[in-house]
Amino acid sequence: MDIREKILKLIEHDSRLTHKEIATLLGLEEALISQTIKELEEEKIICGYHTLVNWDKTDDNMVSAIIELRVNPQRGQGFDRIAEKIYHFPEVKSMYLTSGGFDFLIELHKAPIREIADFVSSRLSIIEEVQSTTTHVILKKYKEYDTLFIKKENNRRMVVTP
Amino acid sequence: MRNFLNKKVQAIEPSGIRRFFSMASEMKDVISLGVGEPDFDTPWHVRDEAIYTIQKGRTFYTANAGLLELRQAIAENIMRLQGVAYDPAKEVLVTIGGSEAIDLVFRAVIEPEDEVIYTQPSYVSYLPCVQLAGGVPVAIDLKEENNFRLTREELEAAITDKTKVLVLSFPNNPTGAVMTKADLEAIVDLIIEKDLLVVSDEIYDRLTYNDDEEHVSIISFPGMRERTIYINGFSKAYAMTGWRLGYCAGPAQIIEQMTKIHQFTIMAAPTMSQYAGLEALKSGEQDVEEMRESYNQRRRFLLSELERLGIPCFEPLGAFYIFPNISQFGMTSEEFATRLIMEKRVAVVPGTAFGKSGEGFVRISYAYSINELKAAIERIEQFIEELKQEK
Ligand SMILES: Cc1ncc(COP(=O)(O)O)c(C=O)c1O
């Protein structure tokens, strides 16, 4: 693994590590870490630093949804052009072009179910190229970004062993 | 009533770790740096294979020596890592952890009065297993200034007419020391000249952090395969301690006798664990590499923190232990570890639990997440500050 990859793997899971800490963990110079991270940011390989929130623990009656979209690409208009019409909506949290039985998979931000219904019917479905939508309401999130959202059994290792 | 107990058994000292364990396990809020097992879960594909094995109803005994497929995979693995060939049918034995193999080999080779040389500080099993087998354990006290490696001079001084076996245990628990190719080279001809059998416990072989050299086994030297019982297992490399699965490889005549004892005492290692072990060998390379990288990061973190705190420590290049020198605090290891747990609720193991030459050291395990290590270091730092003020 090269240095870039090593740094990325570390901060992908803990973006709060300081450059000094990363340097210690990897056995490298701090200056090299700072320089490399700067480059990675400039090249947009590092795209942001966010916090993983388990919203299910915070709120009331908001839901999140995943939507499968089938589209009809028009002449001279590839998938990217259609995608653009969709991903600019602030409701869309993530969006992928996929292989298989449908074309796009999008995940919406949490919202009241009413708003989600409105978004699908009055924003997505009316887009000319959109053939069909299948909306899945997320009932429970088990794992996101390598992190379990359900309580893990306590570590049962003994305190002292040979 | 008569005293029913066997004197040899009665005379054996209980593990020094046990007393510490009782103390630590009764306390609340303890941050433990005291364990000798990985913190990672066994990789899911391995666990899944065991579940599948049970679902398929593969719940019968296997051959005494273990599933042939597993022995084949073990032989291939040794070939891949060390370039040494073993016949899976006659020269490989699957055991209940490396632990059983340690017991078996001494029982199979020791005659009364035979001397067995081992190095201290040492993993806790060799001494009692040699005693139970009726042999005479002879410890070589390894030195910090040699980075806890065995030197030719030390070995030469310990060999007598009665010496039959040399136990090598590198990468080492508790020191984290490794023996490089050059270190082994220095003792190989002496071993052959004195006609010794080597028991090489290489259970930490996959966990080494030397950029210049991967782990080299003594079996890879000419003339050594014939006189070595190579012991390894799944516990450390694949985070499979609770599965109780290990193995050994060696010349057929010795493995045959060990298999005989194993056959009458154990029958065979657990079938589900054996299938899981096979899966680990077949598809676990990535897991090993990821865990190793993670241990290495923790190792670097602890070394740099100990340096910051002014606690001297030689650089361990294997296993997941660090063995700092705490003699500057003017206490025994036992006192240091006891006060640390009583006053700051951090559990480390006194070096003396691994033999008297562990005096002046404590074993810190880094089979813990960085965050746990950080929290522990904070407490150790406070402890040391307070010790300094006492002076
Ligand atoms: C050096 C050494 N050998 C052997 C063992 C035994 O391991 P297992 O019986 O789990 O394979 C251990 C466990 O701590 C060890 O540290």
Side-chain angles (χ1 to χ4, degrees), chain A residues 80-92 95 119:
Chain A
D80 291 351
R81 182 69 196 89
I82 307 172
E84 199 181 351
K85 293 186 184 177
I86 296 168
Y87 60 59
H88 283 303
F89 285 116
E91 286 86 348
V92 176
M95 175 165 191
F119 179 73

Side-chain angles (χ1 to χ4, degrees), chain B residues 238-266:
Chain B
Y238 299 98
M240 290 180 70
T241 45
W243 299 78
R244 309 309 306 124
L245 192 68
Y247 55 89
C248 55
Q253 316 88 286
I254 301 178
I255 293 293
E256 186 187 348
Q257 300 306 317
M258 290 171 70
T259 307
K260 199 157 74 186
I261 308 172
H262 171 80
Q263 163 188 346
F264 291 127
T265 53
I266 301 294

Side-chain angles (χ1 to χ4, degrees), chain A residues 21 25 157-159 161-162, chain B residues 32 35-37 173 300 363:
Chain A
E21 285 171 324
L25 294 179
R157 274 196 303 176
M158 296 190 290
V159 244
T161 56
Chain B
S32 172
V35 305
E37 61 178 324
N173 173 10
R300 292 193 189 109
R363 187 191 75 176

Side-chain angles (χ1 to χ4, degrees), chain A residues 1 6 9-10 14 17 20-21 23-28 152 155 157-162, chain B residues 17 21 25 32 34-39 41 173 297 300-301 304 349 363 367-368 370 374:
Chain A
M1 230 188 309
K6 281 187 178 172
K9 275 193 99 167
L10 262 184
D14 186 358
L17 287 171
K20 185 157 181 289
E21 285 171 324
T24 305
L25 294 179
L26 297 180
L28 297 167
K152 222 185 146 192
N155 186 324
R157 274 196 303 176
M158 296 190 290
V159 244
V160 179
T161 56
Chain B
I17 280 184
F21 170 73
S25 48
S32 172
V35 305
E37 61 178 324
D39 57 319
D41 293 332
N173 173 10
Q297 291 173 2
R300 292 193 189 109
F301 172 76
S304 107
V349 183
R363 187 191 75 176
Y368 296 91
I370 291 283
K374 274 186 189 167

Side-chain angles (χ1 to χ4, degrees), chain B residues 193-212:
Chain B
E193 181 196 318
K194 300 289 182 180
D195 198 14
L196 306 184
L197 175 75
V198 171
V199 170
S200 190
D201 179 350
E202 302 183 26
I203 195 118
Y204 293 101
D205 70 333
R206 305 306 312 281
L207 305 178
T208 62
Y209 317 105
N210 185 351
D211 290 337
D212 306 324

Side-chain angles (χ1 to χ4, degrees), chain B residues 336-353:
Chain B
F336 183 90
T338 307
R339 285 193 56 184
L340 181 57
I341 194 168
M342 296 306 253
E343 295 171 24
K344 294 294 169 207
R345 297 285 189 264
V346 176
V348 299
V349 183
T352 42

Side-chain angles (χ1 to χ4, degrees), chain B residues 120-306:
Chain B
Q120 267 195 6
S122 155
Y123 176 56
V124 297
S125 289
Y126 312 123
L127 170 68
C129 285
V130 169
Q131 287 173 331
L132 283 170
V136 181
V138 176
I140 296 179
D141 294 338
L142 297 186
K143 302 208 169 55
E144 187 187 23
E145 69 252 32
N146 297 334
N147 287 351
F148 293 105
R149 296 169 183 194
L150 174 64
T151 65
R152 185 188 171 94
E153 293 69 39
E154 289 168 327
L155 177 59
E156 200 152 23
I159 294 175
T160 71
D161 297 345
K162 296 192 171 149
T163 308
K164 184 186 262 182
V165 179
L166 167 65
V167 180
L168 289 178
S169 186
F170 297 94
N172 185 265
N173 173 10
T175 63
V178 298
M179 292 273 282
T180 61
K181 189 170 180 199
D183 297 325
L184 291 172
E185 198 135 49
I187 59 170
V188 158
D189 62 328
L190 183 59
I191 292 169
I192 294 176
E193 181 196 318
K194 300 289 182 180
D195 198 14
L196 306 184
L197 175 75
V198 171
V199 170
S200 190
D201 179 350
E202 302 183 26
I203 195 118
Y204 293 101
D205 70 333
R206 305 306 312 281
L207 305 178
T208 62
Y209 317 105
N210 185 351
D211 290 337
D212 306 324
E213 182 180 310
E214 299 236 350
H215 170 76
V216 175
S217 170
I218 196 152
I219 55 173
S220 63
F221 289 84
M224 287 311 300
R225 180 200 177 286
E226 297 87 320
R227 55 173 69 250
T228 304
I229 294 294
Y230 167 94
I231 296 176
N232 208 329
F234 293 83
S235 290
K236 316 292 174 175
Y238 299 98
M240 290 180 70
T241 45
W243 299 78
R244 309 309 306 124
L245 192 68
Y247 55 89
C248 55
Q253 316 88 286
I254 301 178
I255 293 293
E256 186 187 348
Q257 300 306 317
M258 290 171 70
T259 307
K260 199 157 74 186
I261 308 172
H262 171 80
Q263 163 188 346
F264 291 127
T265 53
I266 301 294
M267 188 85 91
T271 304
M272 309 79 183
S273 295
Q274 291 193 53
Y275 278 105
L278 184 57
E279 168 67 21
L281 284 179
K282 276 200 304 205
S283 326
E285 202 49 35
Q286 175 90 6
D287 307 309
V288 174
E289 190 38 50
E290 276 171 19
M291 290 190 268
R292 197 191 67 86
E293 177 59 28
S294 186
Y295 289 130
N296 198 4
Q297 291 173 2
R298 300 154 178 202
R299 184 187 70 98
R300 292 193 189 109
F301 172 76
L302 271 188
L303 275 172
S304 107
E305 288 297 277
L306 289 173

Side-chain angles (χ1 to χ4, degrees), chain B residues 45-106:
Chain B
H45 64 101
V46 175
R47 287 188 271 165
D48 194 43
E49 181 65 23
I51 294 166
Y52 178 68
T53 302
I54 294 171
Q55 282 172 339
K56 288 273 277 188
R58 292 181 187 152
T59 53
F60 302 100
Y61 293 130
T62 66
N64 291 130
L67 286 169
L68 186 58
E69 295 137 274
L70 177 57
R71 281 179 281 150
Q72 275 159 348
I74 289 167
E76 275 163 27
N77 198 48
I78 301 175
M79 174 54 91
R80 181 174 66 88
L81 295 171
Q82 300 298 337
V84 180
Y86 287 95
D87 176 358
K90 294 202 178 103
E91 298 185 314
V92 177
L93 171 63
V94 179
T95 54
I96 309 287
S99 302
E100 192 210 347
I102 293 169
D103 178 39
L104 288 180
V105 67
F106 295 137

